[in-house]
Amino acid sequence: MAKRPPPSATGLPSREQILTFIAETPGPVGKREIAQAFKVKGSDRIRLKQILKDLDIEGAVERRGKHMHRPGQLPPVVLADIKRRDRDGELIAEPTEWDADEHGPIPTIIISVPHKPRPGSPVPGVGDRALIRVNPLKAGDLHRYAGRVTKILEKHRAQVLGIFRSLPEGGGRLIPVEKKSREREIQIQPGDEGGAQDGDLVATSVVRHPRVGLPHAKVHERLGSVKSEKAVSLIAIHTHNIPNAFPADVQAEAERAEPATLAGREDWRDLPLVTIDPPDAKDHDDAVHAVRDEDEGNPDGFIVTVAIADVAAYIRPATALDREAQERGNSVYFPDRVVPMLPERISNDLCSLRPHQPRPALAVRMVIEADGRKRRHTFHRIMMRSAAKLSYQQAQAAIDGRPDETTGPILDSILRPLWAAFDAVRKARDQREPLFLDLPERKIILKPDGTVDRVHVPERLEAHKLIEEFMILANVSAAETLEQAKSDLIYRVHDEPSLEKMRSLSEVLASIALKMPTQGPVRPELFNRILRSVEGSEHQLFINEVVLRSQSQAEYSADNYGHFGLNLKRYAHFTSPIRRYADLVVHRALIRALKLGKDGLPPDTTRAELIEISARISAAERRAMAAERETNDRLIAHFLSDRIGATFEGQISGVTKSGLFIKLDETGADGFVPASTIGADYYRYDDKTHSMRGERTGETYRLGDRVQVKLVEAAPVAGALRFELLSEGQFSRKTPSGKGARGPKTVSPDRRITPRVKNKGTRKRSA
């Protein structure tokens, strides 16, 4: 704990004392903790609040909800990778997630390992990923920490994934697919090929690191030809160490599970709940129902019911199924496969809310007023029977006047009341004004043989929004109920954007002659004003993406600091326990708090355990997002690899010293134009205007500019595209040296397909 010097003569701590206290105090620090530490009382609390606000504006501290920390300071519990040993043999770790651009150099964590570990305590090693409790080694030092491993999440696997290249004399070379691999090539000795053919994607075990020459590895698994798109998702699965095969004891436990009975449940089998999901959904974990409220005290109100599959009835704490689900954290979705959190016996059978079959569920019944505000709610453990399984398109078509044989009989009794309730609910949503981002969600469609057919942007329907809003209501209800019961829980939290990201956004807006609104606090409404100002313009999609990038990353936390994007004070994930472990924890907490059974959260569960689970599943979520993104990049690179030389329309989505990033309109694919190939000039990067500007001509390429490019290289394994710029930049009235106006540039008639000529001058280009 930090030392607590006496307050200054004014009765308030100095800025330096506050910053020192924040840096040295383990655990969350907010205004309350500072006031207690320095005995600030009465009207001085208002002045303290202003000091803290000033420190935040200046960037001297960063906020996470009501808590503060020094910029670049690690939280008390951090997910980290153990990288190496130092000269003294101490293990050195680095945080798994670290934004060097925002926080500066990556900090190091020196791990303390006892000489005689207690039985059962984790024994870390190089290559492990672990949860670590940290404290700064010295007061105010944000770069070096002492750490203690509390849980090892992934043990080091001496495995490398790569492309096998055979040699005439036998054996071969492995070309690792992971971009961050230390080894350029690995040697495969004759006899260690494992049946691999030239060009195969293989998994290898590194068996020897000789002092001289290449490392040696042995092929232990063939994953198929890299030319097959079906192998692409396997690259992400292996490089990110995503568990994709259930252990035997987990499968056996799932197979032994018996269907839940009506015992201890309310019988809601006659309530016509329906599921509305994507047409290719295999499991259905949520069902909805709405009816007019007959209570005269709630005129034109509704009763909305959301029922969620009761996964807690089958996945008990501390079982093999539970441990595996926690390790996976969530299901991972690829275009060609799903890596589920739970075995199919649970996710696609016992817990899937199939039509006309009894299924256990945890339901919330919410009373909604005519203006969409929730008046009250209650939770129930039930047995239900879905009246129909609908797709979003099917339900929407029925409401739009095109019912089919499934939706026709339930149109007036079930679907129209759902839409009427949604009309009320969205009034409250519009009044709350969450962040309204309008970004197309591209979906890769595969052919039966696994190759890419096309990239499709599904239409955004009211049916999608209906389910989203009802799920948000249910999630808020879960958080409110657990808070009222004074139960610890895992929140879904989303912090407001950092000051640095707000400054970057302001610079981007200025580069296209837009001004950041300055009135009032940072709220979603501020960003919505920006988005409305570009609606219908050429910058609409680009600014939506820039605003998205300016946001903090949502995560799971045992501390509640609200959900900025949804503009909600409390929010917890409750509605998808089949595919998210956080939701299962919330279900168990509700069961225990409301005394709905004996299979709730164990009574000895500590807040420290929930903190560790939150860190673990947040990391699993980021791992899944990275794997899904990389797989899509590789698939699109495969898709475009036979279109070398083709031209595409796009937009500059990023500008760096090394070149321009281009996002294509057609597929949403991202590619790169190296700075050395831009044109016949020496281009300097301007970080304030996010542009590249020709030193001699003044030709400028800015973030957000529309451009035409030619594809010159596609690297499917790396998921990378390289373009040649065909479009000209913009020209200022004066040259950078201020030597007067510049005449119009002469362009040949075939300019749009003729490669630009690289500057033949002798001056070196800076990196």
Side-chain angles (χ1 to χ4, degrees):
M1 179 67 73
K3 294 181 180 179
R4 301 177 180 179
S8 63
T10 62
L12 288 168
S14 67
R15 293 158 54 92
E16 290 71 23
Q17 287 175 317
I18 292 173
L19 292 175
T20 300
F21 179 75
I22 292 173
E24 295 181 3
T25 304
V29 177
K31 186 183 75 172
R32 183 177 63 179
E33 287 77 16
I34 294 171
Q36 289 176 346
F38 293 96
K39 297 181 172 58
V40 180
K41 299 178 180 179
S43 61
D44 282 342
R45 283 179 172 261
I46 298 175
R47 296 164 62 192
L48 175 63
K49 182 178 180 181
Q50 184 59 49
I51 293 173
L52 298 178
K53 184 177 180 181
D54 292 342
L55 290 172
D56 184 25
I57 292 173
E58 294 167 10
V61 298
E62 291 180 352
R63 284 185 177 271
R64 173 171 288 189
K66 295 181 179 180
H67 299 142
M68 289 167 286
H69 58 90
R70 295 290 296 274
Q73 182 177 3
L74 292 179
V77 178
V78 65
L79 182 75
D81 295 318
I82 302 174
K83 296 289 190 178
R84 62 189 185 279
R85 289 185 183 272
D86 63 12
R87 293 179 179 178
D88 299 324
E90 299 279 7
L91 291 171
I92 305 298
E94 296 177 355
T96 303
E97 298 287 335
W98 186 262
D99 188 339
D101 292 335
E102 185 173 347
H103 299 305
I106 190 166
T108 57
I109 305 166
I110 302 173
I111 297 174
S112 173
V113 180
H115 294 293
K116 293 183 179 181
R118 289 180 299 176
S121 62
V123 180
V126 175
D128 292 351
R129 176 168 290 181
L131 288 171
I132 303 175
R133 290 194 174 275
V134 298
N135 285 301
L137 278 175
K138 295 181 181 179
D141 185 354
L142 305 183
H143 303 294
R144 287 168 57 81
Y145 294 79
R148 178 175 60 83
V149 172
T150 62
K151 185 173 291 185
I152 295 174
L153 304 185
E154 295 176 16
K155 291 297 290 182
H156 173 61
R157 302 174 186 176
Q159 173 177 289
V160 179
L161 200 71
I163 309 301
F164 177 73
R165 296 301 182 193
S166 61
L167 296 175
E169 63 272 20
R173 294 285 190 271
L174 182 80
I175 313 300
V177 299
E178 192 170 2
K179 298 176 185 177
K180 297 180 181 179
S181 176
R182 295 180 181 178
E183 311 296 345
R184 302 279 306 230
E185 286 188 3
I186 296 175
Q187 185 173 347
I188 308 294
Q189 298 276 45
D192 289 342
E193 304 96 329
Q197 303 296 314
D198 187 72
D200 277 356
L201 177 67
V202 298
T204 68
S205 298
V206 178
V207 294
R208 192 159 62 91
H209 279 274
R211 291 188 176 183
V212 179
L214 299 175
H216 294 182
K218 185 175 183 179
V219 175
H220 64 77
E221 186 178 2
R222 291 178 62 197
L223 303 174
S225 172
V226 76
K227 296 179 181 179
S228 166
E229 276 84 348
K230 287 188 175 181
V232 172
S233 57
L234 287 174
I235 296 176
I237 288 170
H238 280 260
T239 55
H240 289 278
N241 290 327
I242 295 173
N244 68 322
F246 288 104
D249 59 338
V250 173
Q251 285 283 20
E253 194 173 292
E255 293 302 321
R256 289 195 300 269
E258 296 289 337
T261 67
L262 191 58
R265 300 177 182 275
E266 299 176 47
D267 189 351
W268 285 21
R269 286 177 292 181
D270 292 335
L271 184 71
L273 291 146
V274 296
T275 61
I276 305 178
D277 293 294
D280 56 352
K282 293 183 178 180
D283 53 64
H284 310 276
D285 54 5
D286 58 83
V288 293
H289 178 266
V291 66
R292 294 274 181 184
D293 190 359
E294 297 180 356
D295 183 358
E296 293 181 356
N298 187 27
D300 298 320
F302 294 87
I303 298 175
V304 174
T305 300
V306 174
I308 306 298
D310 190 356
V311 177
Y314 299 102
I315 311 298
R316 305 298 175 88
T319 60
L321 274 168
D322 181 56
R323 288 189 293 270
E324 183 71 13
Q326 188 180 146
E327 180 180 352
R328 294 182 177 223
N330 47 250
S331 298
V332 188
Y333 296 86
F334 301 105
D336 67 315
R337 74 184 73 215
V338 176
V339 180
M341 186 180 80
L342 301 172
E344 286 193 11
R345 167 67 172 158
I346 304 295
S347 61
N348 293 354
D349 184 6
L350 294 176
C351 285
S352 187
L353 306 182
R354 295 177 177 177
H356 314 301
Q357 296 185 21
R359 287 291 184 269
L362 197 59
V364 56
R365 178 171 279 168
M366 299 169 287
V367 179
I368 307 298
E369 297 180 356
D371 61 1
R373 289 184 296 181
K374 180 165 63 70
R375 177 174 286 194
R376 61 182 179 275
H377 66 267
T378 53
F379 280 90
H380 308 261
R381 208 167 190 192
I382 67 169
M383 184 68 73
M384 60 161 284
R385 183 163 43 206
S386 170
K389 180 185 77 170
L390 308 177
S391 70
Y392 290 115
Q393 294 77 8
Q394 191 179 14
Q396 189 68 55
I399 289 296
D400 292 343
R402 303 187 308 278
D404 58 22
E405 59 183 12
T406 301
T407 56
I410 63 173
L411 178 58
D412 291 328
S413 59
I414 297 177
L415 295 181
R416 292 198 193 281
L418 278 171
W419 255 258
F422 171 56
D423 285 339
V425 166
R426 63 179 160 189
K427 293 176 186 175
R429 177 202 63 188
D430 293 344
Q431 183 70 29
R432 187 179 83 242
E433 193 161 1
L435 183 59
F436 287 121
L437 286 169
D438 183 17
L439 288 167
E441 188 173 336
R442 292 178 171 86
K443 185 175 183 180
I444 297 176
I445 308 298
L446 301 181
K447 298 176 184 176
D449 64 356
T451 61
V452 176
D453 182 23
R454 66 189 190 280
V455 179
H456 172 59
V457 179
E459 184 182 359
R460 178 78 169 155
L461 304 173
E462 277 199 341
H464 293 103
K465 299 175 185 177
L466 179 149
I467 294 299
E468 285 177 5
E469 290 305 316
F470 287 174
M471 296 304 115
I472 289 171
L473 278 174
N475 289 335
V476 171
S477 299
E480 289 175 346
T481 293
L482 290 173
E483 282 192 356
Q484 290 167 4
K486 301 189 184 306
S487 169
D488 286 330
L489 70 145
I490 292 178
Y491 294 91
R492 180 63 169 179
V493 292
H494 180 223
D495 208 355
E496 65 182 42
S498 67
L499 186 64
E500 185 62 34
K501 289 187 175 181
M502 292 294 289
R503 286 172 179 160
S504 296
L505 175 60
S506 182
E507 290 174 357
V508 173
L509 294 176
S511 72
I512 58 171
L514 287 177
K515 190 175 181 181
M516 170 81 80
T518 56
Q519 295 180 350
V522 178
R523 289 178 180 159
E525 190 272 336
L526 179 145
F527 296 98
N528 292 337
R529 284 157 57 193
I530 296 170
L531 298 174
R532 284 193 291 266
S533 71
V534 297
E535 194 170 347
S537 75
E538 63 173 335
H539 296 300
Q540 178 176 344
L541 178 60
F542 162 65
I543 292 299
N544 270 267
E545 290 180 342
V546 170
V547 168
L548 175 63
R549 290 202 294 257
S550 74
Q551 303 301 305
S552 301
Q553 188 169 21
E555 62 182 355
Y556 295 105
S557 173
D559 292 317
N560 179 32
Y561 51 90
H563 198 294
F564 178 81
L566 293 175
N567 201 9
L568 292 168
K569 292 182 179 179
R570 56 192 59 83
Y571 191 66
H573 272 167
F574 158 77
T575 53
S576 294
I578 286 178
R579 62 184 180 91
R580 294 188 306 226
Y581 191 80
D583 304 54
L584 176 56
V585 173
V586 169
H587 275 231
R588 289 171 176 166
L590 287 166
I591 291 169
R592 186 179 77 178
L594 300 176
K595 297 179 174 54
L596 297 176
K598 297 181 180 180
D599 46 3
L601 202 64
D604 59 348
T605 302
T606 64
R607 191 169 178 279
E609 288 179 278
L610 294 182
I611 290 173
E612 291 188 359
I613 292 173
S614 298
R616 185 170 187 170
I617 60 180
S618 292
E621 180 184 47
R622 291 190 291 270
R623 175 182 68 183
M625 292 169 63
E628 291 166 0
R629 182 176 61 250
E630 290 173 12
T631 298
N632 287 343
D633 288 345
R634 290 185 174 112
L635 284 172
I636 291 178
H638 268 286
F639 181 52
L640 296 178
S641 60
D642 60 355
R643 299 179 66 182
I644 303 297
T647 59
F648 300 90
E649 301 292 330
Q651 197 164 26
I652 298 177
S653 60
V655 183
T656 67
K657 290 181 180 179
S658 53
L660 306 174
F661 290 92
I662 312 296
K663 181 177 283 291
L664 301 185
D665 296 341
E666 181 182 336
T667 59
D670 292 296
F672 188 62
V673 177
S676 59
T677 68
I678 290 178
D681 203 343
Y682 179 79
Y683 288 83
R684 288 189 180 277
Y685 169 61
D686 187 335
D687 59 346
K688 291 185 178 179
T689 60
H690 297 269
S691 65
M692 294 285 277
R693 183 182 177 112
E695 189 174 76
R696 178 176 56 82
T697 62
E699 185 179 26
T700 303
Y701 293 93
R702 302 180 309 170
L703 191 65
D705 282 354
R706 302 287 309 167
V707 292
Q708 187 182 58
V709 294
K710 181 171 74 174
L711 179 63
V712 296
E713 183 182 1
V717 173
L721 302 172
R722 184 164 62 86
F723 298 126
E724 183 181 280
L725 199 58
L726 300 181
S727 300
E728 290 184 331
Q730 301 180 33
F731 292 93
S732 58
R733 292 185 179 181
K734 292 185 178 181
T735 63
S737 58
K739 294 182 179 179
R742 187 177 187 275
K745 187 170 183 175
T746 303
V747 183
S748 64
D750 60 347
R751 175 67 187 80
R752 294 179 71 81
I753 59 173
T754 303
R756 304 196 65 159
V757 179
K758 184 179 176 182
N759 183 12
K760 298 299 183 180
T762 58
R763 183 172 182 177
K764 291 183 179 180
R765 177 179 302 278
S766 66

